[in-house]
Amino acid sequence: MAAVSKVGIVGSGAAGLTAAILLADAGVEVEVLEKESGPSPLGSGITLQGNALRIFRQLGIWEEIATKGFAFSELGLRAPDPAGTVLSVVDDVRTGGADLPATLGMYRPDLADALRRRAADAGVRISYGRKVKGVEQDGGSVTVITDDGERLAYDLLIGADGLHSAVRAAIGITTEPEPTGMGIWRAFVERPADVVRTDLTYGGPCYIAGYCPTGQNSMYAYLVEDAQDRRVEDGPQIMAGLAAAYGGPWKEIRASLDHSARINYTRFTTHLVDGPWNRGRAVIIGDAAHSCPPTIAQGVALAVEDAAVLADLLTSRDELDDSLWAAFTERRLERARIVIQGSVQLGQWMLDGQIRDADVPGVIATVAAAVSQPA
């Protein structure tokens, strides 16, 4: 018997839907509250490391996303020169195990679609246009108050509602994401034939110039710079200008950076709720609880691991008590801390101009070792 019978989840991203699927599969009644009016068709590419793929295989969607994405297990490093000289190609760490690729690149809306369909099959109810205004608890239940005044009661509330989590604020957790000083341009474009893995270039006009194949005909490219005020409508011109310094596939990528490309700009942030992520019968997971720069591409993996561990504890115990929350904290907090510290350290070395002398392989190895074992 599960520790809860009716769960509300705020947010229909990867963390929220992963938790919803696993709980619903165990017979728990689950409702997902999403503030947007419907599924979003927007998005660019996403990099999924092996420990995220391990969770998606547990959900039963691995084969579907594998056919839609682009799997690879190598990482390339290029020089910031006009030829894009390949400095090395190394085997990437298979953090999900030897029977999964190190990385899967895919179109973000395709992943969202696969999760939503799987959730529907499990009996999850997704309610759109539901914004959280407040949260109340009486010890035996938790009530969500929506912006239209409706009151929705659950045994447990999971806040999987992102960086600027309404649930986090409503339950009195004051930790907020802080900028790291970097910003990233991303563009979803046609894949050149020679883009068969992620290649990273450190240096040149950007801190990082990289790309990730996401399908047979698609990829996303990214350029990391100092955080600054940018207008997305200026993206094609700015990205093309920055990309002009890089060779290899960047020459072909640059030609695709016009107004038909899907381009966005975001700033890197970091935060970690340092301590229990619950307050009574409400808990936050994913980006609501922690965020890190995408320098090690572990954001989604951490989020879905949170969801899987929480669902495991909720469905394997009879009571929602302090021992359950202590076990959740023990399994998640330090693991998240290692990833966040590693991601932030890599970014800080770049900001300080020390990346060439830094122990980048050591940081990556530390993070990989931390996440290679199931959470």
Side-chain angles (χ1 to χ4, degrees):
M1 181 178 177
V4 291
S5 59
K6 184 178 181 181
V7 172
I9 299 176
V10 181
S12 64
L17 290 179
T18 296
I21 293 164
L22 293 171
L23 290 171
D25 281 349
V28 177
E29 181 184 350
V30 181
E31 180 177 23
V32 175
L33 307 177
E34 171 54 54
K35 67 180 181 180
E36 302 298 333
S37 59
S40 173
L42 303 177
S44 58
I46 188 169
T47 300
L48 302 171
Q49 299 283 18
N51 51 320
L53 305 181
R54 181 168 56 209
I55 303 297
F56 294 139
R57 182 172 60 186
Q58 181 182 350
L59 297 182
I61 66 169
W62 161 239
E63 291 185 0
E64 176 184 352
I65 65 174
T67 61
K68 292 184 176 180
F70 195 106
F72 53 96
S73 296
E74 294 180 332
L75 176 67
L77 297 175
R78 290 179 179 265
D81 59 29
T85 303
V86 176
L87 300 174
S88 66
V89 177
V90 299
D91 291 334
D92 207 352
V93 182
R94 295 175 181 251
T95 55
D99 55 345
L100 286 168
T103 307
L104 181 77
M106 69 180 302
Y107 184 43
R108 186 181 291 266
D110 284 345
L111 174 62
D113 287 345
L115 287 167
R116 279 194 297 268
R117 286 195 301 273
R118 177 67 175 83
D121 290 343
V124 174
R125 182 170 71 255
I126 302 178
S127 300
Y128 291 101
R130 310 307 296 272
K131 295 181 181 180
V132 173
K133 183 179 180 182
V135 175
E136 295 179 355
Q137 302 193 54
D138 63 8
S141 67
V142 56
T143 298
V144 173
I145 302 141
T146 63
D147 63 344
D148 60 2
E150 189 170 2
R151 301 174 66 87
L152 306 169
Y154 307 100
D155 298 329
L156 171 70
L157 178 67
I158 301 174
D161 50 341
L163 286 177
H164 306 291
S165 169
V167 174
R168 184 179 65 223
I171 64 176
I173 297 176
T174 59
T175 305
E176 291 285 342
E178 298 180 353
T180 69
M182 288 179 169
I184 184 169
W185 287 103
R186 293 183 178 92
F188 191 70
V189 296
E190 186 173 345
R191 180 181 73 88
D194 53 348
V195 172
V196 294
R197 62 175 183 263
T198 286
D199 285 336
L200 299 175
T201 302
Y202 294 100
C206 297
Y207 293 111
I208 308 173
Y211 44 73
C212 176
T214 57
Q216 291 305 306
N217 301 306
S218 66
M219 60 162 285
Y220 78 102
Y222 47 91
L223 298 165
V224 178
E225 62 175 9
D226 287 316
Q228 54 196 288
D229 291 334
R230 291 295 205 184
R231 299 192 315 162
V232 174
E233 54 266 37
D234 296 332
Q237 178 182 355
I238 294 172
M239 285 196 75
L242 293 172
Y246 302 104
W250 277 101
K251 295 178 181 178
E252 195 170 342
I253 294 168
R254 185 171 183 266
S256 299
L257 294 173
D258 56 26
H259 285 282
S260 66
R262 279 162 280 183
I263 294 176
N264 64 69
Y265 186 78
T266 56
R267 298 183 182 221
F268 288 180
T269 66
T270 184
H271 79 289
L272 174 66
V273 175
D274 194 3
W277 297 346
N278 76 296
R279 297 294 185 270
R281 288 178 171 263
V283 63
I284 53 174
I285 62 174
D287 284 353
H290 48 73
S291 65
C292 57
T295 47
I296 307 180
Q298 274 287 316
V300 172
L302 281 185
V304 297
E305 282 186 354
D306 290 349
V309 170
L310 180 59
D312 175 58
L313 290 169
L314 291 170
T315 57
S316 63
R317 300 195 177 204
D318 294 332
E319 293 185 35
L320 187 65
D321 56 15
D322 289 344
S323 68
L324 185 151
W325 293 124
F328 184 57
T329 300
E330 181 178 1
R331 289 175 64 177
R332 295 309 303 154
L333 182 57
E334 289 308 311
R335 188 175 174 110
R337 191 191 310 278
I338 290 170
V339 174
I340 291 165
Q341 288 178 342
S343 299
V344 172
Q345 180 65 78
L346 288 178
Q348 193 59 54
W349 278 332
M350 286 182 265
L351 286 166
D352 293 343
Q354 299 174 347
I355 192 68
R356 295 188 184 280
D357 300 322
D359 184 18
V360 175
V363 170
I364 294 175
T366 298
V367 171
V371 300
S372 290
Q373 296 301 314

